[in-house]
Amino acid sequence: MSKTVNGVEIDDTFAEAFGMSGTGIIITADTLKWARIAATVATGFGTSVIGCGAECGIDKELTPDETPDGRPGVRILMFGFSPDALVPQIRNRIGQCVLTSPGSACYSGLKAAQSLGLGKAPRYFGDGYQTAKKLGDSRYWRVPVMDGEFVVEEETGVTTEAVGGGNMLILGTDRAGLLETTEAAVDAIAKIDDVITPFPGGIVRSGSKVGAKYAGMFASSNDAFCPTLRGTVKSELGPDTLAVLEIVIDGLTSKAVADAMRAGLKAVTDTGAKRGVTRITAGNYGGKLGQHHYHLKDLI
């Protein structure tokens, strides 16, 4: 049975999410501007493993006191189906997007029992002139580049306890108000450590269902939530719903995903009704595919 909070209806349903592998990487630079530029480029084209190879995003900004080299930094997270699936993603994204960025350096952003190569591939760009130094239990590579050296830690931790696909669907009668409310929810989620919202600006308007009528398509438009198909398909939308937006959440732990969903739900219910938001629901597959279930009623 649904409940209403501050004028917003909350469906009695759950978000169904999947076990994934995840890693964290710290990118530093001479200024926060350039650390963020490198991090933004490195996490680009990282919305869904269905087509991107990895789901990626910026977790948080770091002060000089929080980074290994005492410079401003940004921590990024990457998620894939397995540690092995993350190997080429790290190699390509760090080699093409961080090594190339002015003043950048790259360090492990996650301590875990298992590790992946971080600098093992980019070091070869040094063409034999790269040098290594071990400090404590970590090895660092110094790769000559045209503005000095690219310093990169050899390995970073990886966890197989990560979760991908926590979600909420937000329905409204006003597109502008719905977007504004969803943006506020993404901002609230961004304050939670160890999670990312990998889609553009943290929001996805092309929610999907599993499968399609066309061969080779693993997912297709979630027609039940498309306003223009109301009356043509078995719709989940009432007559006044004009638009639906979704937030997808990946986290290094199940608790982090739950905390993020809780923060997002609160942000929507605090002010959403004033902006035309009428309802919140979530995407699931009847509990048959994903190992993690996040019941909305437990997170309000």
Side-chain angles (χ1 to χ4, degrees):
M1 185 175 181
S2 64
K3 63 187 295 186
T4 299
V5 179
N6 296 334
V8 178
E9 184 181 359
I10 313 296
D11 283 6
D12 184 7
T13 189
F14 60 92
E16 188 169 350
F18 302 85
M20 297 186 81
S21 295
T23 187
I25 297 169
I26 294 172
I27 299 169
T28 67
D30 297 324
T31 64
L32 182 58
K33 170 188 172 180
W34 277 102
R36 179 167 273 279
I37 287 173
T40 300
V41 177
T43 56
F45 192 59
T47 57
S48 171
V49 289
I50 292 174
C52 298
E55 298 180 7
C56 312
I58 292 174
D59 176 22
K60 58 183 176 180
E61 295 178 353
L62 302 171
T63 65
D65 292 339
E66 297 174 303
T67 65
D69 60 10
R71 302 190 303 166
V74 174
R75 185 200 195 203
I76 66 173
L77 302 180
M78 295 185 190
F79 297 88
F81 285 131
S82 68
D84 287 345
L86 287 171
V87 171
Q89 294 296 318
I90 294 173
R91 179 188 65 230
N92 294 339
R93 292 172 185 272
I94 300 307
Q96 294 296 313
C97 305
V98 184
L99 168 66
T100 58
S101 184
S104 67
C106 201
Y107 305 97
S108 170
L110 179 66
K111 292 183 179 180
Q114 190 174 348
S115 63
L116 295 173
L118 177 59
K120 288 182 177 181
R123 64 177 169 152
Y124 290 116
F125 184 77
D127 199 29
Y129 297 102
Q130 70 271 18
T131 59
K133 186 175 183 64
K134 191 167 185 180
L135 297 174
D137 294 329
S138 298
R139 184 183 299 275
Y140 300 85
W141 288 96
R142 300 165 61 184
V143 181
V145 289
M146 294 193 298
D147 72 346
E149 291 181 325
F150 173 57
V151 177
V152 58
E153 196 165 348
E154 185 169 84
E155 296 182 332
T156 187
V158 62
T159 176
T160 56
E161 299 298 319
V163 176
N167 69 83
M168 61 183 73
L169 293 160
I170 307 167
L171 289 66
T173 58
D174 178 80
R175 288 183 68 247
L178 174 63
L179 179 58
E180 186 178 355
T181 301
T182 309
E183 287 175 334
V186 170
D187 289 342
I189 291 168
K191 296 176 182 178
I192 306 298
D193 287 346
D194 298 338
V195 298
I196 60 169
T197 50
F199 283 90
I203 302 169
V204 55
R205 57 100 176 251
S206 58
S208 61
K209 65 179 184 294
V210 174
K213 65 180 181 181
Y214 297 107
M217 291 288 293
F218 299 105
S220 59
S221 187
N222 192 353
D223 48 71
F225 286 91
C226 292
T228 59
L229 296 180
R230 187 172 33 216
T232 303
V233 300
K234 186 178 179 181
S235 180
E236 287 283 342
L237 306 181
D240 297 330
T241 300
L242 188 63
V244 181
L245 294 174
E246 183 177 7
I247 299 175
V248 175
I249 303 165
D250 295 344
L252 294 176
T253 65
S254 180
K255 181 181 182 302
V257 172
D259 289 345
M261 288 190 61
R262 186 177 291 108
L265 287 166
K266 184 178 186 304
V268 175
T269 56
D270 277 352
T271 61
K274 298 177 182 178
R275 301 185 179 118
V277 171
T278 57
R279 178 182 160 204
I280 305 173
T281 188
N284 64 67
Y285 315 96
K288 299 177 181 178
L289 296 179
Q291 307 95 314
H292 302 274
H293 301 166
Y294 301 95
H295 291 264
L296 299 186
K297 66 181 181 180
D298 297 335
L299 299 172
I300 293 295

